[in-house]
Amino acid sequence: MSHQNLLTKDAIARILEGEKVINPRVQVLGYKKVMGDGSDKGQVRYRFLLSDGKSSHQFCVMMGQLIERIEMGEFERFSVIQLNEYILNSLQDRKVMIILEPQLIKRGSDIGQRIGNPSAPTTPNSAGANTSFNASVPRLSAPPMASTSVPRAGRSAPVPTPSYLSDVNQVVCGIADLNPYRNRWAVKGRVSAKTPIKQWSNAKGEGKLFSFDITDDTGEIRITAFKTECEKFFDVVEVGKVFTISKAVIKPANKKFSPLNNDYELTLGNDSIVIPGDDDDSDCPKMSFNFVKIKDIAATNADSFVDVLAVCKSVGELVTFTQKNTGRELKKRDISLVDDTEMEIKLTLWGEEAERQIANEGSAVVVKKAKVSDFNGKSLTTTQNSFVQIDPTMSEAFGLRGWYERSRDTLRPKPLSVTTSSYENAQWRNLSEINLAAVRNERGALTFSTVATVIQVGKLSIYLACPTAGCKKKVTDMNNGYYKCDKCNKNFEDYEPRLILGLAISDFGGELWITLFHEDAEKILGIKAKELIQMRDANATEYEEIIGALNFRRFTFRLRSAEDRYKEEVRVRTTALAINEIPTGDYQKKLLELVNSLSL
DNA sequence: CCCCCCCC
């Protein structure tokens, strides 16, 4: 009885040649416990000699949770196992199979012999290495070479370079080939983005970090440096330059937070090495762009990323505001971009890039990975993954600047981003025409005028706002006589009550819920917010009457309907920009009487 | 160990 049919034909040879053999069955001819000695110092693993009956391979590793099963004897000598998942790892010219999901097919004691006549394992780079598996075997990891500290060339006296910037003997592999089972590796890539230093503080502690992304010809990966490493490497890493990274920790990337095309991320640790490389290195492609014309962004989905090359047409003010959820203060600056499709789009820059006002009117602007947003039409924003370049030295940029210089005086670009003040040419619409499709047809925000009747009064919210002129931010009652504004970061003894009123309005064909902010709410109610509050507290009936008196009054509304995303749901949100009452004589009164008689 | 990518 040969048992040969238990084994997958030529499995070992095919796997070693790079073929992805599905669930191969192989025989265990022996194994040996080994300890890691590099960055994985002390980590236990087992090295197996596996055979397909014809060839065998001695660099087959199991580790982690499999150790217990091995030590229980599950994969004893002569067992036939099926490799439900494995990784082939090429380190230098040694091929290491990492067995992730072995499944016992037949117990070794049931077979009791070697199947077939496998040739001796090949040991390609091991001069003097043993062919006998039971003798002492070479370490799985390449022996550490002498660490060299090479000072960088300098004009003045040589400055010793810290070892973490010079010492590397790892074999460089492609970024796409990185996985957590490699034990000695280095990657070399060009920095495509770099974040500012971020301080954090939460329940688990506090610290600072920065991260950067590197790209080579196989892929891209994010690298994060915390605390000490943040200080150590922040000034070393520069966008556009090439670095070799080794001895960093590989961990799964949370795809929720990274649009990078990689399942893993790297974290720099105490012994991580970051070495500046040759910036002309051909393994690391210069930053490449896939430019999308502004015109084509109109048809690009929100939340996708695009590369743009455009000219800055105008620069907005620096705006500081407080993020509602976190109370964090944010700084932004919008600039407007145009290109030769004669379309214009808003680009929002954040933080340091906003403060520094990096672009001026007429600057060529290149953004790698700008994020598309669809609030109020289409707009662009930078994110942590973006890389912005002003007046880059690329011929396309010179060409576009030339186009802008020639056409700036006659240029009337069509805006893709709707600004809040551009409703002068509002159209007249019937309410039956107002829906998501119509709003989208107007690139996200439809401004229109309509004549309609109030048919229902919704929620009237009165909130306490900051008394600072123009702030409008909700204040927190500190219950000590003071009210705190997070935006102004001040306590005030006073506050300004502000109103938000929801109304359902109807014309002959449709109806729509709209929101009136403070000024228009005061106007339509015919009462100032402060008096309204007094009335509410003193005389509830009168208060109800004031609100109820809105029913069946007619107005000319100037409205803006915009696409709005609320808890994953996309809907139309309409706000009043202006209202003007149309007198209806006693018509409204009669309707109110009718409704009151019906409800009795 | 961050994990928010913002606001209207």
Side-chain angles (χ1 to χ4, degrees):
Chain A
M1 156 168 96
S2 75
H3 295 294
Q4 187 68 54
N5 58 351
L6 284 174
L7 303 180
T8 304
K9 191 167 187 291
D10 297 330
I12 295 291
R14 285 158 57 201
I15 289 168
L16 294 181
E17 274 164 28
E19 185 184 334
K20 192 72 199 165
V21 183
I22 308 293
N23 298 342
R25 292 186 175 188
V26 292
Q27 186 181 33
V28 175
L29 295 186
Y31 58 80
K32 182 177 172 59
K33 188 174 185 171
V34 285
M35 303 289 245
D37 70 337
S39 54
D40 54 349
K41 199 173 173 73
Q43 194 181 323
V44 177
R45 57 187 60 185
Y46 278 82
R47 231 184 85 189
F48 280 71
L49 176 60
L50 299 179
S51 157
D52 59 16
K54 218 158 115 189
S55 357
S56 65
H57 189 59
Q58 64 163 326
F59 298 110
C60 306
V61 181
M62 293 192 203
M63 52 191 170
Q65 290 162 330
L66 296 174
I67 286 170
E68 197 178 330
R69 290 168 63 188
I70 299 165
E71 292 178 353
M72 293 289 286
E74 182 176 343
F75 309 119
E76 64 183 324
R77 192 162 185 237
F78 301 137
S79 307
V80 170
I81 59 175
Q82 177 170 303
L83 311 181
N84 292 331
E85 201 177 334
Y86 62 90
I87 291 173
L88 182 69
N89 208 335
S90 302
L91 277 173
Q92 287 151 322
D93 48 356
R94 173 183 297 163
K95 291 183 172 162
V96 176
M97 276 176 71
I98 293 142
I99 314 299
L100 298 174
E101 274 186 40
Q103 179 189 347
L104 183 68
I105 299 298
K106 204 162 176 63
R107 299 178 61 87
S109 53
D110 292 345
I111 295 179
Q113 61 176 9
R114 199 171 61 174
I115 302 172
N117 188 22
S119 56
T122 48
T123 54
N125 68 337
S126 47
N130 21 38
T131 45
S132 158
F133 195 74
N134 292 322
S136 86
V137 289
R139 281 183 302 265
L140 277 169
S141 40
M145 297 185 188
S147 157
T148 49
S149 185
V150 184
R152 278 175 294 185
R155 263 147 287 164
S156 51
V159 179
T161 304
S163 64
Y164 57 83
L165 295 180
S166 67
D167 168 347
V168 72
N169 290 300
Q170 274 67 18
V171 178
V172 171
C173 67
I175 288 173
D177 300 330
L178 274 182
N179 63 61
Y181 310 102
R182 278 188 181 267
N183 57 36
R184 288 236 161 192
W185 54 265
V187 284
K188 185 172 66 178
R190 192 179 302 275
V191 178
S192 52
K194 175 188 171 184
T195 73
I197 290 181
K198 180 197 165 181
Q199 307 271 349
W200 91 86
S201 169
N202 60 29
K204 285 181 237 163
E206 55 181 46
K208 57 181 171 180
L209 68 106
F210 86 103
S211 65
F212 59 103
D213 303 335
I214 60 167
T215 307
D216 70 7
D217 53 3
T218 70
E220 54 185 3
I221 194 163
R222 169 154 307 165
I223 302 165
T224 306
F226 292 93
K227 298 177 183 173
T228 317
E229 289 71 52
C230 174
E231 285 176 20
K232 195 153 113 180
F233 293 115
F234 184 77
D235 291 333
V236 173
V237 172
E238 278 180 70
V239 173
K241 299 204 176 248
V242 169
F243 292 88
T244 302
I245 317 283
S246 58
K247 292 187 173 175
V249 176
I250 308 175
K251 60 172 200 175
N254 188 337
K255 303 301 273 184
K256 196 173 143 198
F257 302 117
S258 170
L260 262 62
N261 181 25
N262 200 316
D263 291 339
Y264 302 108
E265 298 184 336
L266 299 178
T267 300
L268 297 181
N270 191 31
D271 57 349
S272 293
I273 297 167
V274 177
I275 302 176
D278 171 11
D279 293 336
D280 296 320
D281 199 309
S282 61
D283 292 342
C284 304
K286 294 280 185 203
M287 200 174 290
S288 66
F289 299 94
N290 184 15
F291 290 128
V292 173
K293 291 288 186 187
I294 294 176
K295 185 176 194 240
D296 297 324
I297 298 172
T300 304
N301 290 334
D303 298 333
S304 51
F305 290 85
V306 293
D307 299 345
V308 286
L309 163 63
V311 174
C312 174
K313 182 168 158 283
S314 61
V315 178
E317 295 295 306
L318 178 69
V319 176
T320 303
F321 64 93
T322 308
Q323 190 171 231
K324 274 192 200 114
N325 301 336
T326 62
R328 223 153 48 89
E329 183 156 282
L330 299 172
K331 288 190 167 73
K332 67 156 190 175
R333 187 193 297 273
D334 291 344
I335 67 174
S336 127
L337 299 179
V338 290
D339 70 10
D340 52 7
T341 61
E342 303 200 359
M343 292 242 187
E344 179 174 0
I345 194 164
K346 185 183 85 179
L347 168 71
T348 305
L349 301 167
W350 296 90
E352 197 263 339
E353 282 177 343
E355 276 185 280
R356 204 151 42 89
Q357 199 195 317
I358 52 178
N360 296 305
E361 195 260 344
S363 305
V365 178
V366 160
V367 189
K368 174 114 186 123
K369 291 187 183 171
K371 190 177 167 187
V372 177
S373 150
D374 61 0
F375 181 85
N376 274 356
K378 288 278 161 61
S379 58
L380 298 174
T381 179
T382 57
T383 74
Q384 186 176 122
N385 316 298
S386 306
F387 171 62
V388 182
Q389 242 180 324
I390 304 301
D391 290 331
T393 55
M394 56 174 80
S395 58
E396 300 100 307
F398 287 115
L400 198 66
R401 282 190 70 163
W403 161 83
Y404 183 75
E405 294 300 327
R406 289 190 301 277
S407 46
R408 66 191 294 174
D409 295 334
T410 53
L411 189 63
R412 296 285 178 275
K414 189 176 176 203
L416 273 189
S417 314
V418 181
T419 53
T420 46
S421 58
S422 70
Y423 57 88
E424 295 81 12
N425 52 357
Q427 324 147 49
W428 289 85
R429 293 285 177 111
N430 298 321
L431 296 183
S432 58
E433 300 172 72
I434 308 306
N435 52 42
L436 200 53
V439 167
R440 287 187 169 154
N441 199 35
E442 295 293 315
R443 306 183 309 276
L446 169 61
T447 306
F448 64 100
S449 295
T450 195
V451 172
T453 303
V454 175
I455 56 162
Q456 199 182 329
V457 182
K459 195 174 172 189
L460 171 60
S461 310
I462 305 175
Y463 73 98
L464 314 182
C466 177
T468 307
C471 175
K472 300 178 190 179
K473 170 81 184 170
K474 190 173 170 177
V475 291
T476 312
D477 187 346
M478 306 304 281
N479 293 316
N480 59 2
Y482 287 92
Y483 300 87
K484 181 167 190 287
C485 174
D486 290 328
K487 190 170 165 186
C488 302
N489 199 20
K490 264 192 201 163
N491 286 324
F492 298 96
E493 290 184 25
D494 201 9
Y495 59 82
E496 186 180 307
R498 289 187 64 87
L499 308 178
I500 298 175
L501 174 64
L503 293 179
I505 61 171
S506 170
D507 63 12
F508 50 83
E511 51 182 87
L512 190 67
W513 276 97
I514 64 171
T515 304
L516 278 69
F517 288 106
H518 188 68
E519 288 76 12
D520 292 311
E522 281 189 334
K523 183 176 174 183
I524 205 170
L525 289 162
I527 188 169
K528 293 287 176 191
K530 280 183 180 156
E531 295 163 37
L532 187 71
I533 291 170
Q534 284 170 8
M535 185 186 285
R536 182 191 60 187
D537 297 340
N539 189 334
T541 313
E542 206 180 349
Y543 174 79
E544 294 297 333
E545 275 174 13
I546 282 250
I547 289 168
L550 292 175
N551 282 308
F552 306 118
R553 283 161 66 188
R554 302 185 80 211
F555 296 84
T556 301
F557 292 95
R558 179 167 278 172
L559 300 172
R560 189 171 68 239
S561 293
E563 192 171 328
D564 185 37
R565 219 172 312 166
Y566 179 75
K567 293 180 180 169
E568 301 299 309
E569 183 199 352
V570 179
R571 58 179 192 176
V572 171
R573 184 194 52 184
T574 305
T575 54
L577 303 171
I579 53 165
N580 278 300
E581 183 151 16
I582 300 168
T584 55
D586 58 358
Y587 179 69
Q588 184 223 2
K589 207 169 144 193
K590 282 182 178 166
L591 278 173
L592 278 176
E593 280 166 11
L594 174 66
V595 169
N596 284 334
S597 71
L598 288 175
S599 60
L600 278 176

